[in-house]
Amino acid sequence: MHDDRTLVEARLRRVLDERIRPAVHPASVPLDVAVWNAPGEPVPVAEGLAATPAPIAVGDRWGAPWGTSWFTVTGTVPAEWAGRTVEAILDLGFDENMPGFQCEGLVYRPDGTPVKGLNPRNQWVRIGAPVAGGEEVRLHVEAASNPVILDYHPFVPTRLGDKETAGSEPQYRLARMDLAVFDETVWQLVLDLEVLGELMHELPADGPRRHDILRAVGRALDRVDLQDVNGSAAAARAELAGVLATPAEPSAHRISAVGHAHIDSAWLWPLRETVRKVARTTSNMTALLEDEPEFVFAMSQAQQFAWVKEHRPEVYAKVKKAVSEGRFVPAGGMWVESDTNMPGSEAMARQFVHGKRFFLDEFGIENDEAWLPDTFGFAAGLPQIIKAAGSKWLLTQKISWSQTNKFPHHTFLWEGIDGTRIFTHFPPVDTYNCSMKGSEIAHAARNFKDKGAARHSLAPTGWGDGGGGTTREMVAKAARLRDLEGSATVTWETPAEFFAKAEAEYPAPPVWVGELYLELHRATLTSQAKTKQGNRRSEHLLREAELWAATAAVRTGFAYPYEQLDRIWKTVLLHQFHDILPGSSIAWVHREAEKTYAAVADELNGIIGEAQRALAGDPAAGRELVFNAAPHERHGVAAGGAAVPAEAGGAHLTGRDGGGFVLDNGLLRVEVDADGLIVSAYDIAAERETVAPGRAANLLQIHPDFPNMWDAWDVDAFYRNTVTDLTDADDVSPVDAGSSAAVRVVRSFGASKVTQVLTLTPGAKRLDIDTEVDWHETEKFLKASFPLDIHAERYASETQFGHFHRATHTNTSWEAAKFEACNHRFVHMEEPGWGVALVNDSTYGHDVTRTVRAGDSGTTTTLRVSLLRAPRFPDPETDQGVHRFRHALVPGASIGDAVREGYRVNLPERRVPGDTAVAPLVGVDNDAVVVSAVKLADDGSGDVVVRLYESAGGRARARVVPGFTAGTVTVTDLLERPLADSLRHELEDGTVRLSLRPFELVTLRLTRGA
């Protein structure tokens, strides 16, 4: 037989496009349309429905950027359509290739009841099936004219990302507003042909199955009367029934389809628009669940459920009903799908606390899985947090985006820094927006790396990023793929059903140890510095507020602000979403975030001030107490306590030969040259120089920064090829700093200016570096370099509840790909017996390189901290303006010193007038065991909750000493629920004795005795 594959395939494409698809709606009549444009922000539904609209015609332009237009469509079903299925086709001017990224709508009945959402892939509204004929139709559409930010030519700078700069030019042209007959037989034929045509392309060209399908498609097309598609569709379908009924091979890969609509809580739209995106999507999904009995839909992010509950209670009622039926599945158990690299220990824990508690309170559901399909890599401390929250599984997709190395597993055990292992799955379909295309299903089966040992994978199915969700077409395709020869099998299942099967069939999966580093989007550790500073400062203010409020509540009867802290925590957690904290959202999002963080700081400082005043006693006593919220003693003030601080010695500033200054406090001698560069940081006791010979530390360097794509997200390795050292100084002069020694250095470059103050304080073996940058560069990357005279093959970066080691070398492509990495409060490197730490108050990105010097063959290990970037997409004004950072160089530092100094720079002492010293509410007798939270239990019982962890990476014994009469102690999970195994933690003589593994996290709940 002659090979006519290309002829039949081309015929299929044309007949589908030009004859069969148009025949799905064979008859239509126009609807009358009127519109009212809301004058500002979105209005309540009642107001939108009550407004008086003006006529508008198909073809007219509408919709200023970020505006809301209320369309009213009216019409009458023709009498001759009696007995037919009728739909309204409402095309607001959609581009079908951009679901979630452009205009959208929510359809209401005249009484305000929401019907369903409209988006480019979901433009229909069912009127009747069947209709009687003559029905009057009246629908209202709340249409959001969200501008297209990420267009076909992506990453082009645009002012559309902020309502204040977007202008008023209409964005869309009304395309179609019709009543139409829906021919389900033709629609089913379209799906038959799509599934078979897509499958055919994935099968071997010389295989019999491909040719069986080819011949059946040819016969079906022969039966289609091109002048009467609707009359001939049933006969065409009959020709395809045989090849659609042939079952899959017993060895076929098995896919669990999970209905899904990844909705970024903010990204190319502001938070307020996400509230409406969620309402549209959940309206669609609850309606689809009613129509499709096998369909299952999962939605993560408790915040999004809370938004629906608050803003669309009528939609939430449908969601709750579907949840109770087990078909609308709250997934993930987190407040939002957060970034996991940058959130601090407690914040990462509270993502699960608040997320899981919401699902428990609202639905009685406990999540076993963490669900983070789009997060930009995963910190090595996360497995322990997942387990401590009572979960055991993780799903993500994003690692498939890595540019350099292909991850070797799709199902595996992920081991964190403390040894905790979490069963983890990367869907081999390589998308969290699966649409059930044959190419996607075939790719999942081919790509699955655990063949022979496992057979199951998961496919998150539905349009996402901007929401939309699963469509009826996807459900119909999945039905055909349930058991079809040549394809993987597809079954709708919940995440829990998938994980249970996957875990059961794969009892000994491979293990991956350490962080799950995404070899992409590395610049998200630096972009939008003020958002990152707001997050870091909010995390530490929350620590202080809980600590001092709990201490005051126990000691003085102070009213612990449960509801206020709960609300603030949720606000901070929301802003850790993986496109807010990473700095990859539009200008509007980050402008609002800056205001939100300022308001959070005001509230938390108010709580802290009230609690400290309640504890400090008489403010007129003429004394001043220092409150120490850090987990280590400082200046004689106990951790978590308040007292009059001990006196320190002094530091001295003298001139330096050749220009510059010498700062000396008896522990550390620092030389600053005439250019304001640190040319020596000498550890006096160790007789050890910190700065590499012939090099200068605190050297500001600037690079061009224009990645190949994803401007706010990416920094590409070639940025290093060009560097400018900022060595010219406008001013290098001493600063009057009391008993401290300090030097001010001012530099100008481009359109920007940097002012740094280098301070050596009495009694401290560290150099504080305060930096102010008035930044007005474009597409530049600013770093501060510290070349260290230290030989280290690895270094430590703080992460949640511990630290993680990375290589300083690039032996393999895996190590070379980590040319920009994340730290929390410190980076530390050491030779046996001597180390160096660099601590910070708000920066996350850094890089480490090593070279061997020609002169003495010694190793120079260079640590560079990332300060600022200036990408132009999606915010063309990213990071413009004044920024302040604080770092400290700590020579001779052990890992314990790094931990202590990291907390110090983030938790400055507070001075309060008073006469009453405050003993710690909880004390710990081992500095390696760090208290991360002291608070009252969330249930309002008055119990004291203490969370602590081993911070040095070794075994530790410690006594936890309550500063109050404790009745009982219980070891709990993160949600403060008792754990079964608490044998190692007993209350003896009023103290709790602990024995901790490296980086072990423990939560204690102590009742208060009489």
Side-chain angles (χ1 to χ4, degrees):
M1 181 179 290
H2 297 295
D3 186 354
D4 60 351
R5 283 181 298 114
T6 57
L7 187 67
V8 176
E9 290 164 2
R11 180 189 183 195
L12 173 60
R13 283 193 299 272
R14 184 175 187 192
V15 172
L16 262 176
D17 288 344
E18 297 184 23
R19 292 291 188 272
I20 302 178
R21 288 193 183 98
V24 170
H25 292 102
S28 64
V29 295
L31 289 159
D32 293 322
V33 190
V35 66
W36 174 74
N37 298 309
E41 283 294 280
V43 300
V45 174
E47 184 177 343
L49 296 179
T52 302
I56 186 174
V58 168
D60 289 350
R61 298 180 71 194
W62 70 277
W66 306 112
T68 301
S69 298
W70 284 83
F71 291 96
T72 300
V73 296
T74 55
T76 303
V77 176
E80 60 269 25
W81 289 1
R84 311 287 294 276
T85 296
V86 174
E87 296 178 341
I89 307 300
L90 307 178
D91 184 345
L92 301 174
F94 296 128
D95 179 341
E96 70 171 14
N97 295 314
M98 291 190 176
F101 291 91
Q102 55 174 244
C103 60
E104 300 173 35
L106 183 57
V107 180
Y108 297 89
R109 296 188 179 92
D111 64 0
T113 303
V115 180
K116 70 186 294 287
L118 297 177
N119 64 57
R121 297 289 182 137
N122 212 322
Q123 303 177 21
W124 58 275
V125 180
R126 182 63 56 88
I127 301 300
V131 297
E135 293 94 334
E136 295 297 322
V137 175
R138 185 179 185 86
L139 297 171
H140 301 271
V141 181
E142 180 189 14
S145 49
N146 302 331
V148 176
I149 306 294
L150 192 69
D151 214 330
Y152 288 99
H153 185 185
F155 318 121
V156 174
T158 174
R159 297 284 177 178
L160 290 171
D162 194 332
K163 193 174 183 180
E164 294 183 354
T165 61
S168 58
E169 186 72 17
Q171 299 292 292
Y172 298 98
R173 195 177 296 277
L174 205 61
R176 185 180 182 187
M177 294 286 187
D178 289 348
L179 284 178
V181 170
F182 174 72
D183 189 326
E184 184 169 357
T185 302
V186 175
W187 181 78
Q188 295 284 6
L189 176 60
V190 169
L191 274 301
D192 289 346
L193 290 170
E194 285 184 354
V195 167
L196 290 171
E198 292 164 2
L199 174 60
M200 188 164 53
H201 280 284
E202 302 302 324
L203 294 171
D206 56 355
R209 175 62 170 165
R210 179 161 181 165
H211 288 270
D212 286 347
I213 294 174
L214 185 76
R215 298 302 160 214
V217 167
R219 292 193 300 271
L221 294 176
D222 289 341
R223 300 299 297 271
V224 174
D225 183 342
L226 299 182
Q227 278 65 53
D228 184 15
V229 172
N230 301 88
S232 57
R237 291 200 72 203
E239 295 291 345
L240 302 173
V243 289
L244 285 168
T246 308
E249 297 91 341
S251 61
H253 185 67
R254 298 175 182 178
I255 293 177
S256 297
V258 178
H260 187 237
H262 177 60
I263 304 178
D264 286 312
S265 289
W267 180 27
L268 304 180
W269 45 86
L271 287 167
R272 67 90 155 145
E273 192 55 34
T274 313
V275 174
R276 302 200 296 177
K277 282 178 173 287
V278 175
R280 298 173 200 129
T281 298
T282 52
S283 294
N284 271 354
M285 295 304 96
T286 51
L288 191 60
L289 287 167
E290 291 176 1
D291 294 340
E292 301 290 348
E294 293 187 353
F295 176 55
V296 175
F297 180 77
M299 188 171 90
S300 68
Q301 306 189 73
Q303 171 68 86
Q304 296 188 359
F305 285 84
W307 278 332
V308 180
K309 180 181 180 181
E310 177 183 358
H311 297 280
R312 290 289 189 271
E314 66 281 13
V315 177
Y316 193 64
K318 295 181 179 180
V319 170
K320 288 200 75 169
K321 179 177 181 293
V323 171
S324 69
E325 295 166 351
R327 299 182 59 216
F328 194 118
V329 182
M334 295 175 67
W335 190 248
V336 294
E337 289 182 15
S338 72
D339 180 79
T340 75
N341 285 312
M342 291 176 282
S345 303
E346 274 303 309
M348 200 73 254
R350 305 300 175 94
Q351 286 287 351
F352 287 90
V353 169
H354 287 282
K356 296 195 79 169
R357 187 170 288 142
F358 182 92
F359 290 158
L360 282 165
D361 291 346
E362 291 292 316
F363 310 120
I365 286 175
E366 173 102 21
N367 295 93
D368 285 327
E369 78 287 337
W371 183 274
L372 291 163
D374 191 30
T375 296
F376 309 154
F378 297 88
L382 187 58
Q384 179 175 205
I385 297 171
I386 294 172
K387 181 180 179 182
S391 297
K392 58 184 179 180
W393 301 318
L394 169 66
L395 178 134
T396 184
Q397 183 66 66
K398 201 71 171 187
I399 299 297
S400 67
W401 285 40
S402 285
Q403 289 180 315
T404 305
N405 297 286
K406 188 79 170 175
F407 198 81
H409 317 296
H410 282 108
T411 302
F412 60 99
L413 294 176
W414 177 29
E415 181 177 317
I417 56 174
D418 73 312
T420 296
R421 291 179 174 182
I422 294 295
F423 189 85
T424 302
H425 181 66
F426 290 169
V429 70
D430 280 351
T431 178
Y432 49 79
N433 295 325
C434 177
S435 61
M436 285 292 139
K437 287 183 180 177
S439 57
E440 294 170 334
I441 301 305
H443 175 74
R446 284 195 300 263
N447 188 40
F448 187 56
K449 294 193 176 301
D450 302 283
K451 298 182 187 76
R455 297 176 58 190
H456 284 82
S457 71
L458 186 146
T461 302
W463 301 115
D465 289 316
T470 318
T471 64
R472 61 183 178 183
E473 288 79 14
M474 296 175 195
V475 176
K477 284 190 170 186
R480 289 158 173 80
L481 296 169
R482 184 179 183 89
D483 190 14
L484 182 62
E485 183 186 357
S487 172
T489 66
V490 176
T491 306
W492 293 107
E493 291 186 304
T494 66
E497 288 171 333
F498 160 75
F499 273 109
K501 288 181 179 178
E503 197 170 31
E505 76 171 1
Y506 208 3
V511 178
W512 181 269
V513 178
E515 67 182 332
L516 295 171
Y517 180 91
L518 177 64
E519 296 171 355
L520 193 73
H521 293 359
R522 302 167 181 91
T524 58
L525 302 173
T526 306
S527 297
Q528 298 287 1
K530 288 183 179 177
T531 299
K532 291 169 171 58
Q533 289 180 328
N535 173 73
R536 178 76 70 85
R537 290 168 186 169
S538 296
E539 289 178 349
H540 288 85
L541 286 170
L542 278 161
R543 173 197 176 92
E544 289 192 80
E546 289 182 338
L547 169 64
W548 300 126
T551 305
V554 173
R555 298 277 167 72
T556 73
F558 179 82
Y560 191 81
Y562 291 100
E563 293 183 2
Q564 190 179 8
L565 287 171
D566 179 81
R567 173 176 50 78
I568 294 171
W569 261 118
K570 288 173 179 173
T571 298
V572 173
L573 298 177
L574 166 60
H575 285 79
Q576 291 178 339
F577 179 76
H578 66 252
D579 276 307
I580 303 179
L581 179 54
S584 48
S585 287
I586 55 174
W588 189 346
V589 173
H590 294 289
R591 173 171 55 81
E592 286 191 334
E594 186 176 352
K595 293 178 180 177
T596 298
Y597 283 130
V600 163
D602 285 345
E603 272 199 88
L604 291 173
N605 279 316
I607 294 171
I608 292 164
E610 288 180 29
Q612 289 179 338
R613 286 191 292 274
L615 289 163
D618 184 3
R623 301 173 66 194
E624 189 175 61
L625 302 174
V626 166
F627 280 76
N628 175 21
H632 306 95
E633 179 184 310
R634 293 193 296 196
H635 303 138
V637 181
V644 177
E647 294 293 330
H652 308 285
L653 179 72
T654 59
R656 175 181 176 273
D657 291 342
F661 300 92
V662 177
L663 299 78
D664 193 325
N665 66 358
L667 299 172
L668 194 62
R669 185 169 63 248
V670 176
E671 295 186 34
V672 179
D673 72 5
D675 294 322
L677 300 172
I678 300 168
V679 293
S680 175
Y682 190 74
D683 180 346
I684 295 172
E687 299 181 338
R688 176 73 183 257
E689 176 58 64
T690 306
V691 181
R695 303 289 298 277
N698 193 38
L699 171 64
L700 296 177
Q701 297 179 307
I702 197 162
H703 299 266
D705 184 17
F706 190 62
N708 288 343
M709 56 194 304
W710 298 109
D711 296 40
W713 295 256
D714 283 0
V715 56
D716 290 330
F718 54 73
Y719 87 93
R720 292 180 173 181
N721 297 347
T722 306
V723 60
T724 301
D725 293 342
L726 304 179
T727 56
D728 293 339
D730 303 342
D731 177 56
V732 180
S733 58
V735 177
D736 184 2
S739 60
S740 298
V743 175
R744 177 185 291 108
V745 181
V746 181
R747 305 184 193 280
S748 299
F749 59 95
S752 303
K753 183 177 181 179
V754 177
T755 301
Q756 291 188 299
V757 177
L758 315 180
T759 304
L760 193 59
T761 58
K765 196 160 65 172
R766 67 170 184 272
L767 179 70
D768 290 317
I769 305 169
D770 293 285
T771 303
E772 179 180 287
V773 187
D774 190 3
W775 180 248
H776 297 284
E777 304 307 301
T778 300
E779 294 167 349
K780 296 291 194 298
F781 196 1
L782 180 65
K783 284 182 171 267
S785 175
F786 294 82
L788 307 173
D789 187 9
I790 196 163
H791 178 83
E793 294 183 357
R794 66 177 192 170
Y795 70 96
S797 298
E798 188 182 36
T799 188
Q800 293 98 2
F801 299 113
H803 57 267
F804 175 69
H805 288 100
R806 298 185 184 93
T808 62
H809 57 75
T810 54
N811 281 357
T812 71
S813 59
W814 295 88
E815 288 136 1
K818 295 184 180 183
F819 60 81
E820 186 77 7
C822 183
N823 61 270
H824 287 187
R825 286 169 292 232
F826 69 79
V827 173
H828 177 264
M829 56 191 67
E830 65 180 344
E831 297 172 0
W834 195 86
V836 182
L838 189 73
V839 301
N840 72 85
D841 76 339
S842 58
T843 58
Y844 295 91
H846 70 272
D847 69 81
V848 175
T849 55
R850 65 202 299 263
T851 58
V852 175
R853 301 186 290 270
D856 63 359
S857 298
T859 301
T860 297
T861 304
T862 301
L863 164 64
R864 301 196 310 161
V865 294
S866 303
L867 298 178
L868 289 166
R869 300 182 69 234
R872 300 182 64 212
F873 182 88
D875 175 5
E877 300 295 326
T878 300
D879 280 331
Q880 301 299 296
V882 177
H883 304 269
R884 295 177 179 86
F885 308 98
R886 194 173 190 198
H887 294 81
L889 180 67
V890 191
S894 66
I895 196 73
D897 295 326
V899 173
R900 183 188 68 249
E901 293 298 333
Y903 274 104
R904 178 198 61 81
V905 77
N906 283 274
L907 290 164
E909 298 166 341
R910 292 178 182 261
R911 296 181 176 270
V912 180
D915 64 350
T916 306
V918 180
L921 189 62
V922 176
V924 180
D925 69 351
N926 184 341
D927 277 353
V929 178
V930 171
V931 173
S932 67
V934 176
K935 59 190 287 292
L936 295 192
D938 290 342
D939 61 7
S941 63
D943 293 352
V944 175
V945 172
V946 183
R947 188 146 36 246
L948 40 79
Y949 66 99
E950 195 288 317
S951 67
R955 302 274 174 170
R957 295 183 181 275
R959 291 170 61 248
V960 179
V961 184
F964 59 94
T965 303
T968 61
V969 60
T970 306
V971 182
T972 74
D973 65 6
L974 294 179
L975 277 71
E976 301 166 10
R977 303 173 298 190
L979 293 176
D981 179 15
S982 60
L983 297 178
R984 293 177 298 148
H985 311 295
E986 301 173 358
L987 192 63
E988 298 177 2
D989 301 324
T991 67
V992 185
R993 298 183 182 275
L994 298 179
S995 177
L996 301 180
R997 301 186 313 274
F999 300 127
E1000 184 178 2
L1001 161 66
V1002 174
T1003 303
L1004 302 176
R1005 180 169 180 155
L1006 299 107
T1007 60
R1008 289 152 61 184

